[in-house]
Amino acid sequence: MPELPEVEVTRLSISRPLERARVLGVRVGKPLRWPLGCDPHSLVGRAIGPVARRGKYLWLPLGPRPGQGDSDAGGLLLHLGMSGSLAFRPEHTAPAGPLGLHDHFELFVEGGTGSGRLCLHDPRRFGAVVFAPALDQPPAAALLARLGHEPFDAALTPQSFHAALSGRRAAIKSVLLSGDPVVGAGNIYACEALFHAGIDPRVRADRISRPRAARLLQAVRDTLARALALGGSTLRDFSDAHGMDGAFQDHAAVYGREAQPCLQCADPVRRIVQGQRATYFCPRCQRR
DNA sequence: CGGGACGCCTGTGAGC
DNA sequence: TGCTCACAGGCGTCCC
């Protein structure tokens, strides 16, 4: 589920409850994609800093343990994988006993807006929570090293985007999913952006002209911004930290609409498979 | 080095 | 009703 808009919606929804917060307790469930990389108890007592996002990763800065110097600081790199979501639930006292069936990591915190627990719910456990001393230190650095530009980074221009596509012979849909030229568009938003740009997802990336690359970049930005404004997409169970569902799924032009009429031309939307992933597009509105 | 397949997990819905 | 199978929002790793 979680593509960039859902991760950003999550970031925004946990920012307030975590303001000036401190970790009072930690509980862990089943293993996630990678080991936490530290003793969970070593997180207790640390101050939580402003939550940041890079691509689909969240970064939760943590101050040093009580009595330790600044060099003891670190943070948690979080990824929601395919089925992850974060929930913040106000609680007066630290919950005890086992976590919920699919709750695999929980911080009990005391913050400026009161105490509560921040819980990662992830049935498929493709998500991750990893401790690192800093974003540019292992193991965080390696995970972020190969990410492309943030979609709204001013350094990403139609020219540089076109140049990035020109070296890739793979289908444009696959190149968007790779997160190489630009991060954030997953399967839903890559399909939607290509529809709004009028580009056939099977076109080789290096065969896209400059004007069409410019249109695609704009479509990626517009699609992600619209999804963010709508609270993301809730296909099955995604919601923000307060349980609010997204609404973008009701505004998708092609994603999940196989055989239904195209909203522009009424021809049936097609579903194909590219790189083991479903692609939805309109063969009439999206040209080679 | 680019490109594509695999595997990590569990839940759900369709079809028989 | 109950079983089996295909498929689901991501992405690091491996092999060609």
Short mmCIF file of all heavy atoms in Angstrom, two decimals, chain A residues 158 161-163 165 199 208-218:
data_model
loop_
_atom_site.label_atom_id
_atom_site.label_comp_id
_atom_site.label_asym_id
_atom_site.label_seq_id
_atom_site.Cartn_x
_atom_site.Cartn_y
_atom_site.Cartn_z
N PRO A 158 12.50 19.21 -15.61
CA PRO A 158 12.13 18.45 -16.81
C PRO A 158 13.37 18.00 -17.58
O PRO A 158 13.41 16.88 -18.10
CB PRO A 158 11.31 19.45 -17.62
CG PRO A 158 10.71 20.36 -16.60
CD PRO A 158 11.74 20.47 -15.51
N PHE A 161 15.15 15.21 -15.57
CA PHE A 161 14.29 14.02 -15.60
C PHE A 161 14.41 13.33 -16.96
O PHE A 161 14.57 12.11 -17.04
CB PHE A 161 12.84 14.43 -15.32
CG PHE A 161 11.87 13.28 -15.22
CD1 PHE A 161 12.05 12.29 -14.25
CD2 PHE A 161 10.78 13.19 -16.07
CE1 PHE A 161 11.14 11.23 -14.14
CE2 PHE A 161 9.88 12.14 -15.97
CZ PHE A 161 10.06 11.15 -15.01
N HIS A 162 14.35 14.12 -18.01
CA HIS A 162 14.49 13.55 -19.35
C HIS A 162 15.85 12.88 -19.51
O HIS A 162 15.96 11.79 -20.08
CB HIS A 162 14.32 14.64 -20.41
CG HIS A 162 14.44 14.14 -21.81
ND1 HIS A 162 15.54 14.41 -22.61
CD2 HIS A 162 13.63 13.34 -22.55
CE1 HIS A 162 15.38 13.81 -23.77
NE2 HIS A 162 14.24 13.17 -23.79
N ALA A 163 16.88 13.52 -18.96
CA ALA A 163 18.23 12.95 -19.06
C ALA A 163 18.29 11.62 -18.32
O ALA A 163 18.93 10.66 -18.79
CB ALA A 163 19.25 13.93 -18.49
N LEU A 165 15.87 9.52 -17.84
CA LEU A 165 15.14 8.50 -18.60
C LEU A 165 15.93 8.04 -19.82
O LEU A 165 15.79 6.89 -20.27
CB LEU A 165 13.79 9.05 -19.07
CG LEU A 165 12.79 9.48 -18.00
CD1 LEU A 165 11.47 9.88 -18.64
CD2 LEU A 165 12.57 8.38 -16.98
N ILE A 199 0.79 8.61 -21.66
CA ILE A 199 1.92 7.80 -22.13
C ILE A 199 1.64 6.31 -21.90
O ILE A 199 1.27 5.90 -20.78
CB ILE A 199 3.22 8.20 -21.42
CG1 ILE A 199 3.57 9.66 -21.77
CG2 ILE A 199 4.37 7.26 -21.77
CD1 ILE A 199 4.74 10.22 -20.98
N ILE A 208 11.23 8.42 -24.80
CA ILE A 208 10.29 9.48 -24.45
C ILE A 208 10.93 10.84 -24.75
O ILE A 208 12.03 11.14 -24.27
CB ILE A 208 9.87 9.35 -22.97
CG1 ILE A 208 9.04 8.07 -22.80
CG2 ILE A 208 9.06 10.57 -22.52
CD1 ILE A 208 8.58 7.80 -21.40
N SER A 209 10.22 11.64 -25.52
CA SER A 209 10.75 12.94 -25.93
C SER A 209 10.80 13.90 -24.74
O SER A 209 10.18 13.67 -23.70
CB SER A 209 9.85 13.53 -27.01
OG SER A 209 8.58 13.85 -26.46
N ARG A 210 11.52 14.97 -24.92
CA ARG A 210 11.62 15.97 -23.85
C ARG A 210 10.26 16.52 -23.43
O ARG A 210 9.97 16.60 -22.23
CB ARG A 210 12.54 17.12 -24.28
CG ARG A 210 14.01 16.82 -24.04
CD ARG A 210 14.86 17.93 -24.62
NE ARG A 210 14.90 19.10 -23.75
CZ ARG A 210 16.01 19.51 -23.15
NH1 ARG A 210 17.14 18.86 -23.32
NH2 ARG A 210 15.97 20.58 -22.39
N PRO A 211 9.41 16.92 -24.38
CA PRO A 211 8.11 17.45 -23.97
C PRO A 211 7.27 16.43 -23.22
O PRO A 211 6.58 16.76 -22.25
CB PRO A 211 7.44 17.84 -25.29
CG PRO A 211 8.54 17.90 -26.31
CD PRO A 211 9.62 17.01 -25.84
N ARG A 212 7.36 15.16 -23.65
CA ARG A 212 6.56 14.14 -22.96
C ARG A 212 7.15 13.85 -21.59
O ARG A 212 6.41 13.58 -20.64
CB ARG A 212 6.50 12.87 -23.81
CG ARG A 212 5.89 13.09 -25.18
CD ARG A 212 5.69 11.77 -25.87
NE ARG A 212 4.39 11.20 -25.56
CZ ARG A 212 4.11 9.90 -25.64
NH1 ARG A 212 5.03 9.05 -26.00
NH2 ARG A 212 2.90 9.48 -25.37
N ALA A 213 8.46 13.89 -21.46
CA ALA A 213 9.10 13.70 -20.15
C ALA A 213 8.67 14.83 -19.21
O ALA A 213 8.38 14.59 -18.03
CB ALA A 213 10.62 13.67 -20.29
N ALA A 214 8.60 16.04 -19.73
CA ALA A 214 8.17 17.17 -18.92
C ALA A 214 6.73 16.97 -18.46
O ALA A 214 6.39 17.22 -17.30
CB ALA A 214 8.29 18.47 -19.72
N ARG A 215 5.89 16.47 -19.38
CA ARG A 215 4.50 16.23 -19.02
C ARG A 215 4.39 15.11 -17.96
O ARG A 215 3.57 15.17 -17.05
CB ARG A 215 3.70 15.85 -20.26
CG ARG A 215 2.39 16.60 -20.38
CD ARG A 215 1.54 16.10 -21.52
NE ARG A 215 2.32 15.97 -22.76
CZ ARG A 215 2.03 15.13 -23.75
NH1 ARG A 215 0.97 14.35 -23.65
NH2 ARG A 215 2.76 15.08 -24.83
N LEU A 216 5.24 14.09 -18.11
CA LEU A 216 5.22 12.98 -17.15
C LEU A 216 5.65 13.42 -15.76
O LEU A 216 5.03 13.06 -14.75
CB LEU A 216 6.11 11.83 -17.65
CG LEU A 216 6.18 10.61 -16.73
CD1 LEU A 216 4.79 10.05 -16.43
CD2 LEU A 216 7.07 9.53 -17.35
N LEU A 217 6.70 14.22 -15.71
CA LEU A 217 7.16 14.71 -14.41
C LEU A 217 6.05 15.52 -13.74
O LEU A 217 5.78 15.37 -12.54
CB LEU A 217 8.42 15.57 -14.56
CG LEU A 217 8.94 16.22 -13.28
CD1 LEU A 217 9.25 15.17 -12.22
CD2 LEU A 217 10.17 17.07 -13.57
N GLN A 218 5.40 16.36 -14.52
CA GLN A 218 4.30 17.16 -13.96
C GLN A 218 3.17 16.26 -13.49
O GLN A 218 2.56 16.49 -12.44
CB GLN A 218 3.78 18.15 -15.01
CG GLN A 218 2.87 19.23 -14.42
CD GLN A 218 3.56 20.00 -13.30
OE1 GLN A 218 4.68 20.47 -13.44
NE2 GLN A 218 2.89 20.10 -12.15
#
